[in-house]
Amino acid sequence: MKLSAFSWIRLVLVLGVSLSVLGYSVWVTSSARSGSRERKSERFNATEESMEWAQGFEVVPFQAIKSVGEDELGDNEAINSIVSVLERAKVYNQAGLDDPAIESIVRVASEFIYYRFVLDDPQRYIRWRLQRGDRFRDMETLYVKAQVALDYEEFFGETLTDQTPLSKSFTRLYEHQKSLWTSRYTPIGYGVDPESVLVVSATYNPIVGKQDIDLGDPQLNRLWLETLTGGHRSWFRGNTDHDQAKANLEKYQVATVGIVIEYENRERRTLYLGLLRSGTGGDWSVEALSATDTAFTGGLIEF
């Protein structure tokens, strides 16, 4: 079974967190799944070296975190265990954010990791997104631009209509995509060493455009920059509308949180979470998700 579209994203510099794609990029054509798409060998080798280097990190299984927090929504103890790791990350703070703003980035990222990956429960995840004030993107964006309708018809032989609730189509695709994953794409834990996590902030100026980040440390460059990444499909949006901000020439702040994920086959690869908020402050929106994949043969992560 093939997915219906393909996109390569180099989402490693805070970039603009590649906000123009916002995770709408859906990876993988049949040629990519079979590994036949050409790619530069030096980039491929760099990614393999990064994966090998990441094997030295200590990893905490998601199951261990989940066992702490099997209560209802709002299990702070389990989320705080993730916060305690991310708050030790090296922070590249080009945006000049204050400590509370950095703490809020870490908190949102930790909640996302918990509700999307640790619990691995679409209903709990939806509840978390809605309770924090996020909302589903409109049907035109999801069903047409993000090609949900094409995937749905291909996978299930059914046509999506405006009467199909977004929560229903999200849940069904979420569960189906998971069933397609092999052990190479089933996340089971994440690195807890300070070198295995990263936080980068920047200000996006629609007039100037993207501004690259100099991460400086050669070791970080090897792990975080010399990788091939693919973007996943974003179903939700927060209070900050980057399209409107760009149209109004308003500055907004972006952040990337990077973690090293271990998969069921024991490979370890980097994963990036893209956040943004208004230039005047406020809550951070979860906008993009990107993960290393040397062969681009993986399943799509609906988020």
Side-chain angles (χ1 to χ4, degrees), residues 147-210:
Q147 302 188 21
V148 167
L150 288 175
D151 284 347
Y152 200 91
E153 183 172 0
E154 182 173 353
F155 289 144
F156 310 121
E158 302 173 15
T159 300
L160 276 177
T161 68
D162 292 345
Q163 284 69 49
T164 305
L166 288 168
S167 58
K168 178 181 178 180
S169 53
F170 171 81
T171 299
R172 193 170 184 190
L173 280 170
Y174 178 116
E175 294 173 343
H176 183 71
Q177 297 288 8
K178 181 181 176 181
S179 73
L180 293 179
W181 291 349
T182 64
S183 62
R184 190 169 188 269
Y185 297 96
T186 302
I188 61 171
Y190 77 120
V192 295
D193 300 79
E195 292 82 6
S196 68
V197 291
L198 176 74
V199 175
V200 188
S201 77
T203 298
Y204 192 98
N205 186 331
I207 298 177
V208 177
K210 294 185 293 185

Side-chain angles (χ1 to χ4, degrees), residues 14-19 204-205 208-212:
V14 146
L15 13 140
V17 107
S18 276
L19 288 173
Y204 192 98
N205 186 331
V208 177
K210 294 185 293 185
Q211 307 202 359
D212 291 344

Side-chain angles (χ1 to χ4, degrees), residues 10 24 31 40-41 61 82-83 90 152 158 182 187 191 202-203 205 218-219 225 229 261 292 300:
R10 190 168 180 241
Y24 295 157
S31 62
K40 294 183 179 179
S41 60
I82 303 174
V83 169
K90 174 66 176 178
Y152 200 91
E158 302 173 15
T182 64
T203 298
N205 186 331
Q219 294 298 321
L225 298 186
T229 56
I261 290 288
T292 304
L300 186 65

Side-chain angles (χ1 to χ4, degrees), residues 204-207 241-242 244-253 278-279:
Y204 192 98
N205 186 331
I207 298 177
D241 186 331
H242 87 287
Q244 190 63 48
K246 289 172 69 175
N248 295 338
L249 300 182
E250 299 173 359
K251 294 181 181 179
Y252 52 89
Q253 296 170 337
S278 167

